[in-house]
Amino acid sequence: MKEKTFNVRTTAREEIVIVTDEVHRALGEIGGGEGICTIVVPHTTCAIAVNENADPDVPADLTKALRALVPNVPFRHGEGNSDAHFLSMLIGCSLTWPYRNGKLILGTWQGIYFVELDGPRTRHVTVYVP
Ligand code: ZN
């Protein structure tokens, strides 16, 4: 298995950063070609997803909608970021996606979303290929 890790620096508590270009760069550095890759965020308060890459209002809207999903329950976790752990679990910390010629096979409007839920922080994203 080959892998490449890149960093994402976020600037807000909740933020969606489109990292499609960084994933393509990583795929190129570990050999390009074609297959199925796995993209992992090795963290518990962020997530990775696929959504629209064209209109910047979409990530902004989704960030607001995610916040609205957090239930009004008495969280006990002393770090105070159980809301971020909850949303990370719902969205997920990995994606498996096909690629060809070193590029993800995405729909016209799709891009890879790095979803920060407890920033600002420097995060890691790792792309694995067989
Ligand atoms: Zn925590």
Side-chain angles (χ1 to χ4, degrees), residues 68-81:
L69 273 182
V70 175
N72 183 20
V73 297
F75 291 126
R76 291 171 40 174
H77 177 45
E79 257 188 327
N81 61 355

Side-chain angles (χ1 to χ4, degrees), residues 44-45 77 79 81-82 85:
T44 61
T45 55
H77 177 45
E79 257 188 327
N81 61 355
S82 283
H85 290 295

Side-chain angles (χ1 to χ4, degrees), residues 10-84:
T10 60
T11 59
R13 180 141 200 271
E14 290 110 20
E15 179 181 5
I16 291 172
V17 181
I18 298 178
V19 295
T20 313
D21 290 345
E22 288 84 351
V23 172
H24 289 164
R25 197 169 307 122
L27 284 170
E29 289 178 20
I30 53 181
E34 65 181 32
I36 306 288
C37 67
T38 303
I39 307 164
V40 173
V41 289
H43 306 286
T44 61
T45 55
C46 62
I48 192 111
V50 175
N51 216 290
E52 183 181 313
N53 67 357
D55 180 355
D57 284 343
V58 173
D61 285 349
L62 294 181
T63 302
K64 283 189 231 164
L66 284 170
R67 180 58 42 215
L69 273 182
V70 175
N72 183 20
V73 297
F75 291 126
R76 291 171 40 174
H77 177 45
E79 257 188 327
N81 61 355
S82 283
D83 58 332

